[in-house]
Amino acid sequence: MSPQTIANTVRREAPLLSHNDSLRDAADRIMAADVPALAVVDDHGKLLGIFGEREFIGALFPGYLTTLGYAGFVPRSLDEVLEKRADCLDDRVSKYMNTEHIDVDDDVSDTQLAEIFLHHRVLIVPVVERGRVTGIVTREDFFRALARHLFDLS
Amino acid sequence: MLLAVLIFAGALAVIATERVDRTKVALVGAMLVVLSQTIDQEHAIEAVDWETIGLLAGMMLIVRVTEPTGIYTFLAIRAGQLARGKPFAVVLSLALSTALLSAFLDNLTTVLLMVPITFLLADALDIDPIPLVLIEIIASNIGGTATLIGDPPNILIAGATDLTFADFVVNLAPIAMVAFVVVTGLLYLFFRKRLQIAPDARERVLELDARRSIEDMPELKRTLPVLVITIFAFFIHGAIGVEPATVALTGATIMLLLTRQTVEEALRGIEWPTLFFFVGLFVMVGALEENGAIKEVADAIASVTQGDRTAELMGIMWVSAIGSGIIDNIPFTATMIPVVDQLQGAAGSDDAYWWALSLGACFGGNFTLIAAAANVAAAGMAERAGRPVGFMTFLKIGVPATLVSMVLATGYVALRYL
């Protein structure tokens, strides 16, 4: 098996999120698809970004958390304060999606995928053909396929 | 001369729009003055004030090495807890911590350290964080006025003069303290209805475990003494004949030897965009100076004031405050330094001119949201936290705060130097 084959085998089809979807709907579809994130597209099907587990947590928890650096000193009683942020479930995904421009075309190599997962904070990479999102590669799928391939070799 | 003025004015105008990164603008301006031979390369390099660059780089490294220990978070949480949930005490302790940190670190760093903790404390106290953040921005600009290393305008002035750290403290700390007390008190009165704290919320703040914010105690034990000695050395640098940049870079170098951070990690703490912004600015101002534009401005001011010291001091102070609010107090101060140098030289080396410039530029940093880098950074963090602070929102607080502090500064300068 060539390295190119691993990348091809891990690609999967997945539903798309519209930039107008609410966080509630987006979270539902992510859980139903059993993937860590989904691609977000505009009304014409053009890729706008990614929304997934990390973005959902970021939306629910206060924005200053990422600038704190460390939160081991925060008591449990503050967890209750989060409940007042529950109304963010009605916000649109476009407000919180990761807009870092990361996508691949269908002849992506394993090396390119490895570079993306190592250097970018994404759990999936959308596959784009002729301007349309045709699938995704998840980091978990890539890891499993890579590990299985190496076990087979050894 | 016209070309140098046009390039510089164009750069300032673009910086004021906030549409293009200020470092890019300054570097393009510097590139244009050198390429057009408005200033030659040799003089352009000479125009860069390496004392300022060294001082900034040294302090950035010191902050970078000490910040991951959690010491600043610890201080901010303790400040919030000492207030025991009483609104005025909360405002006072956070504002005082910000002002003190700002006097010894730079404003931008102070705000980046204080604002996230302030959001957390406001969450715990179930109050609106924005009044606290606004008060901290104002306090950081006032507190930074008190020392040589507290605010970029002062660092620039120190780089261009022989004034010592002690000179800055003796001349600026008294008025900074008065302005801090008055302005913080007035801001509290203005915001007090938005700062009502429920009794159960007070308990939540006390539950924050400040000791756990110290993430690396061995590193803290290694680096904290160096930080303390460095700050002490600033106070006595004039007496021991060591320049402020040498003090900062010596402290930073010793920290690099002691820290567990790699050199690469520590050097990431240097804000290269800021340093290159200063370099670009120095080259553009150097071109203005070399072509006689600065002398023209100084002569024009002297002809308007007819050499009247009172008019010159008041003019420098108020024009600096307004100019800093419109442009940004760093480029404004860089431009004014050679002008003030000529004016104070004509008056027989009169240091009061420098204090007038510092008070105007530093207090003017509170005028608008774009007047100081710390204001912009705090607004950016507030936006990321889902609570944006708009230009007009800041203006409603910034203008009165600047006016009050400037009126106090005017009285201070009149009483002390006239």
Side-chain angles (χ1 to χ4, degrees), chain B residues 14-100:
Chain B
V14 177
I15 288 170
T17 64
E18 296 267 303
R19 297 261 171 114
V20 186
D21 184 285
R22 64 180 187 164
T23 303
K24 288 183 186 175
V25 178
L27 289 177
V28 168
M31 178 190 80
L32 290 175
V33 290
V34 176
L35 281 179
S36 63
Q37 287 291 300
T38 311
I39 184 171
D40 63 42
Q41 183 184 293
E42 195 178 334
H43 285 104
I45 291 169
E46 280 172 16
V48 177
D49 183 358
W50 297 105
E51 164 85 23
T52 299
I53 303 290
L55 179 53
L56 284 167
M59 290 311 292
M60 286 170 185
L61 270 172
I62 287 172
V63 171
R64 167 69 183 196
V65 173
T66 50
E67 200 259 323
T69 63
I71 181 65
Y72 305 115
T73 306
F74 176 85
L75 292 174
I77 293 173
R78 271 282 184 256
Q81 289 178 326
L82 277 174
R84 307 196 79 79
K86 293 174 187 136
F88 179 67
V90 169
V91 166
L92 188 64
S93 64
L94 287 178
L96 190 59
S97 310
T98 306
L100 285 174

Side-chain angles (χ1 to χ4, degrees), chain B residues 18-302:
Chain B
E18 296 267 303
R19 297 261 171 114
V20 186
D21 184 285
R22 64 180 187 164
T23 303
K24 288 183 186 175
V25 178
L27 289 177
V28 168
M31 178 190 80
L32 290 175
V33 290
V34 176
L35 281 179
S36 63
Q37 287 291 300
T38 311
I39 184 171
D40 63 42
Q41 183 184 293
E42 195 178 334
H43 285 104
I45 291 169
E46 280 172 16
V48 177
D49 183 358
W50 297 105
E51 164 85 23
T52 299
I53 303 290
L55 179 53
L56 284 167
M59 290 311 292
M60 286 170 185
L61 270 172
I62 287 172
V63 171
R64 167 69 183 196
V65 173
T66 50
E67 200 259 323
T69 63
I71 181 65
Y72 305 115
T73 306
F74 176 85
L75 292 174
I77 293 173
R78 271 282 184 256
Q81 289 178 326
L82 277 174
R84 307 196 79 79
K86 293 174 187 136
F88 179 67
V90 169
V91 166
L92 188 64
S93 64
L94 287 178
L96 190 59
S97 310
T98 306
L100 285 174
L101 277 177
S102 183
F104 296 106
L105 310 176
D106 70 282
N107 293 2
L108 181 61
T109 304
T110 303
V111 161
L112 292 176
L113 294 169
M114 288 298 294
V115 169
I117 300 296
T118 302
F119 270 100
L120 178 72
L121 290 171
D123 242 359
L125 292 167
D126 201 17
I127 55 173
D128 186 355
I130 296 305
L132 295 176
V133 171
L134 288 171
I135 290 169
E136 283 176 351
I137 294 174
I138 305 283
S140 79
N141 285 317
I142 294 176
T145 311
T147 69
L148 183 155
I149 53 173
D151 210 354
N154 286 358
I155 294 175
L156 282 164
I157 293 169
T161 64
D162 293 327
L163 296 168
T164 65
F165 190 90
D167 290 333
F168 275 84
V169 172
V170 168
N171 287 281
L172 298 176
I175 180 60
M177 282 191 265
V178 172
F180 170 81
V181 171
V182 174
V183 172
T184 305
L186 289 173
L187 287 173
Y188 170 71
L189 290 175
F190 181 77
F191 284 125
R192 67 185 188 284
K193 284 183 184 164
R194 288 165 71 180
L195 295 170
Q196 300 301 316
I197 299 169
D200 61 324
R202 293 176 186 180
E203 295 303 315
R204 278 204 290 266
V205 169
L206 296 176
E207 284 175 21
L208 289 170
D209 190 351
R211 281 171 307 172
R212 290 188 65 189
S213 66
I214 300 294
E215 294 175 60
D216 192 342
M217 184 57 89
E219 178 85 342
L220 181 63
K221 284 179 179 167
R222 279 193 296 270
T223 56
L224 189 60
V226 183
L227 177 66
V228 172
I229 291 168
T230 304
I231 291 172
F232 176 70
F234 276 122
F235 278 96
I236 59 163
H237 80 91
I240 58 176
V242 178
E243 293 299 322
T246 307
V247 171
L249 288 168
T250 302
T253 307
I254 294 171
M255 278 200 185
L256 278 179
L257 291 174
L258 296 177
T259 180
R260 76 167 88 223
Q261 285 185 39
T262 63
V263 173
E264 287 78 13
E265 283 171 333
L267 288 178
R268 264 182 235 135
I270 292 188
E271 296 157 33
W272 295 106
T274 304
L275 297 189
F276 275 98
F277 172 61
F278 273 87
V279 169
L281 208 54
F282 285 134
V283 173
M284 283 194 290
V285 174
L288 289 177
E289 220 173 341
E290 183 148 305
N291 287 276
I294 298 291
K295 188 174 181 309
E296 294 262 333
V297 174
D299 289 347
I301 292 172

Side-chain angles (χ1 to χ4, degrees), chain B residues 323-394:
Chain B
S324 297
I326 296 167
I327 307 169
D328 174 317
N329 60 6
I330 297 172
F332 189 85
T333 309
T335 320
M336 284 296 284
I337 281 173
V339 175
V340 172
D341 197 29
Q342 290 203 22
L343 291 172
Q344 68 93 35
S349 193
D350 186 348
D351 290 345
Y353 283 71
W354 296 118
W355 309 135
L357 174 62
S358 166
L359 288 172
C362 294
F363 286 173
N366 278 329
F367 218 123
T368 64
L369 193 59
I370 61 163
N375 310 3
V376 180
M381 292 174 90
E383 189 167 2
R384 283 200 295 282
R387 294 299 311 275
V389 177
F391 188 88
M392 293 309 291
T393 306
F394 187 86

